[in-house]
Amino acid sequence: MAPAEQAEIRRAAAARGRSIPDGADVEICRERATSAASFIGMLQTMDERYRSVLRWSPPDALRIQDGGNAQMQGVMVLLKDNIESRDMPTTAGSLALLGHAPGRDAPIVARLRDAGAVILGKTNLSEWANIRSSQSISGWSAVGGQTRNPYDPERTPCGSSSGSAVAVAIGLAPIAIGTETDGSITCPASVNGVVGFKPTVGLVSRTHIVPISHSQDTAGPIATTVEDAAIVLSVIAGSDPADPATVEADARKVDYRAALDANSLRGARIGVMRFLLPAYSAETRAEFERALVALRAAGAEVVEIEQGPSDLRAIGGWELTVLLTELKHDLNLYLASTDPAQVKARTLADVIAFNAVEPHETVLFGQDLFELAQATGGLTDAAYVEARAKSLRAAGPEGIDRMMAEHRVVALIAPTTSRAWTNDPKDEDDMQGSASRLAAVAGYPHLSVPMGFDRGMPVGLSFIGGKWDDARILSLGHAYEQATHERRPPPMPQPAL
């Protein structure tokens, strides 16, 4: 056992009035197991109402290792349950993957462990990262049930990184790792009052993460501060020979924490995506105007952008074609890499068949998107090739890049979304506004930082930049965060006496 961990165990025992003499290895091991189990039990109690964590690490896995990166030494980290870890199953929330325990770490998890982080457990998510059905309910999975928003349990936690955002919001861990294809980090961060960062696609490895789209998928940090998110990104960013998209990552990555500058808004030209604003609630628009006042006070020059990309309305349709086509291709490859003794479903078609006869899977919604994906024609299909080319061009070169160049701005901003809507699919309280699509389709960085409250519910401010502008976007968000300090933790119920 590492000396640092022995010292920590002795301190914890002393705090409870117990003294462990030198050389008492058996007592130290017993104390460690007792302390870890008690710690996890306390966290489970905190999470009973919210169901943000799907599975906790075995108590003997909660060890503080000597060495490593001091910035993450002993830091507890939760993983979204579509990210593989060697000591827990990885289910993507689906009963079809319930036995999937590959015994391997995704490269980003290995990087976290090498940096001294302690993997605390797996968070619940929208099943299959919200790609199974057009009627899916954010934060629900057949394995983990419904994750609840801590600011109002009747309202959505958004998704698909629902549990990751809620767990950080209620203080189960300072850091969680989410994944995003379009909005799945930034939206949950916004409606749960925390920071979420979607990196440039290709900065962070996707190997051993249950996929949707190789064009748009990425993992990223969720935290309570931009600084913590920057620390984590510095650890998980980097090239991975198994993920060709990351070939430039080592050359592009920097120390993202060191790059933070609380004065970075001074003199910065920031573009307001005014064309998106009509879709948001009046209360969120008012909070956004207040944020613009704060940005100007911090020295930013706010530039109005009234006209969006000419193909803005068409991007969503093209994107769906891309996601469904790549889902079939990428998920089939992933399932083929699993152990057949653990995962009987070897293809998307097998998963569809499994869901059709498993009543717990379809009790709330169906699998129409899976079925549409199964009908796609593959990566050489003309419809896919055209949709990918058109969507990428419209969102990137003719979208974000053109707006930034024509208006000479270093970042684009908008509200991330409005307040969380209800979990009831039958009422008319629906999602209002989103800033995620352009950055998602282009593969560019997108940061959500707490901006204020819409009728008592948190809303975030989105900072979006060009490809590989991750450090700048984090720094601008950090400067706004330091100037405003808008985050307020959720009201937690008091334990009964």
Side-chain angles (χ1 to χ4, degrees):
M1 186 186 303
E5 186 181 9
Q6 290 191 35
E8 183 60 33
I9 290 171
R10 291 180 192 278
R11 284 194 292 270
R16 294 195 299 274
R18 293 195 64 237
S19 176
I20 300 178
D22 291 341
D25 293 344
V26 172
E27 284 195 49
I28 287 181
C29 290
R30 186 182 296 118
E31 184 69 26
R32 178 177 66 191
T34 300
S35 298
S38 298
F39 176 64
I40 290 176
M42 177 190 70
L43 296 181
Q44 287 175 319
T45 299
M46 290 174 61
D47 195 39
E48 281 178 348
R49 187 182 188 195
Y50 308 108
R51 300 181 75 166
S52 67
V53 176
L54 186 150
R55 183 176 294 103
W56 300 93
S57 289
D60 62 359
L62 303 183
R63 300 180 181 181
I64 300 173
Q65 304 293 332
D66 277 348
N69 183 333
Q71 288 182 324
M72 293 201 71
Q73 192 69 21
V75 175
M76 298 287 182
V77 177
L78 286 161
L79 306 173
K80 185 175 178 180
D81 194 36
N82 58 353
I83 302 170
E84 292 187 10
S85 65
R86 67 192 183 211
D87 43 16
M88 288 174 282
T90 299
T91 71
S94 170
L95 296 173
L97 296 185
L98 196 58
H100 177 37
R104 62 190 181 191
D105 280 340
I108 63 168
V109 178
R111 286 176 176 269
L112 288 165
R113 293 193 203 271
D114 288 346
V118 178
I119 305 305
L120 183 58
K122 294 290 198 74
T123 57
N124 197 23
L125 69 162
S126 310
E127 185 170 319
W128 292 107
N130 260 345
I131 196 65
R132 196 186 90 187
S133 169
S134 60
Q135 303 300 313
S136 67
I137 298 172
S138 282
W140 182 88
S141 74
V143 175
Q146 179 65 58
T147 295
R148 301 288 181 181
N149 188 310
Y151 291 86
D152 182 347
E154 298 305 312
R155 293 187 174 274
T156 184
C158 203
S160 61
S161 303
S162 316
S164 296
V166 171
V168 171
I170 65 176
L172 300 182
I175 301 293
I177 305 299
T179 64
E180 176 160 329
T181 306
D182 187 340
S184 286
I185 290 173
T186 51
C187 181
S190 176
V191 304
N192 291 289
V194 292
V195 172
F197 185 64
K198 182 197 84 75
T200 295
V201 172
L203 185 61
V204 175
S205 168
R206 290 89 52 87
T207 299
H208 303 328
I209 298 176
V210 182
I212 293 176
S213 161
H214 57 263
S215 293
Q216 294 185 205
D217 288 353
T218 184
I222 295 174
T224 57
T225 67
V226 177
E227 181 179 17
D228 283 352
I231 291 170
V232 176
L233 184 62
S234 297
V235 169
I236 64 174
S239 298
D240 168 18
D243 184 353
T246 65
V247 65
E248 293 185 59
D250 281 347
R252 297 285 186 173
K253 70 175 290 187
V254 299
D255 184 334
Y256 294 99
R257 183 190 197 186
L260 299 179
D261 179 2
N263 296 311
S264 59
L265 285 168
R266 190 171 299 159
R269 286 173 59 87
I270 306 294
V272 174
M273 292 188 286
R274 185 65 64 179
F275 57 90
L276 293 178
L277 267 291
Y280 295 84
S281 69
E283 292 82 359
T284 290
R285 292 198 303 268
E287 288 294 87
F288 182 63
E289 296 304 325
R290 194 168 61 85
L292 297 183
V293 172
L295 289 166
R296 292 187 183 100
E301 183 180 352
V302 175
V303 180
E304 296 286 342
I305 302 177
E306 302 287 350
Q307 186 67 42
S310 59
D311 286 326
L312 182 64
R313 292 181 181 274
I315 293 174
W318 294 328
E319 178 189 25
L320 183 60
T321 297
V322 171
L323 298 189
L324 295 181
T325 304
E326 293 187 0
L327 170 65
K328 180 182 178 181
H329 175 270
D330 295 0
L331 186 58
N332 283 349
L333 288 177
Y334 179 83
L335 291 171
S337 77
T338 63
D339 183 346
Q342 297 179 348
V343 181
K344 303 302 182 185
R346 310 308 298 158
T347 64
L348 174 60
D350 291 343
V351 176
I352 293 171
F354 174 91
N355 291 339
V357 297
E358 173 48 70
H360 291 95
E361 282 291 351
T362 54
V363 65
L364 294 177
F365 51 85
Q367 51 181 339
D368 60 303
L369 293 183
F370 268 12
E371 291 163 350
L372 289 171
Q374 179 60 26
T376 58
L379 301 188
T380 60
D381 182 74
Y384 163 77
V385 173
E386 179 183 33
R388 178 54 183 157
K390 286 185 173 180
S391 63
L392 181 61
R393 182 174 63 250
E398 298 298 323
I400 292 172
D401 296 340
R402 172 171 283 188
M403 286 188 287
M404 291 180 65
E406 288 185 352
H407 296 275
R408 296 181 292 110
V409 298
V410 297
L412 303 171
I413 60 169
T416 307
T417 189
S418 298
R419 73 164 177 172
W421 54 100
T422 66
N423 287 322
D424 186 351
K426 297 178 182 178
D427 69 21
E428 296 182 356
D429 190 342
D430 297 322
M431 184 178 190
Q432 292 180 279
S434 172
S436 67
R437 176 161 289 155
L438 290 175
V441 174
Y444 292 177
H446 179 185
L447 172 70
S448 182
V449 182
M451 177 178 73
F453 288 81
D454 175 343
R455 290 161 287 177
M457 300 299 293
V459 287
L461 176 63
S462 284
F463 290 82
I464 293 168
K467 190 173 184 178
W468 307 118
D469 275 350
D470 303 74
R472 175 184 285 167
I473 293 302
L474 286 165
S475 188
L476 293 170
H478 171 70
Y480 170 78
E481 174 192 62
Q482 296 303 302
T484 59
H485 297 285
E486 290 289 348
R487 181 176 189 267
R488 296 201 304 271
M492 298 292 288
Q494 297 299 310
L497 298 176

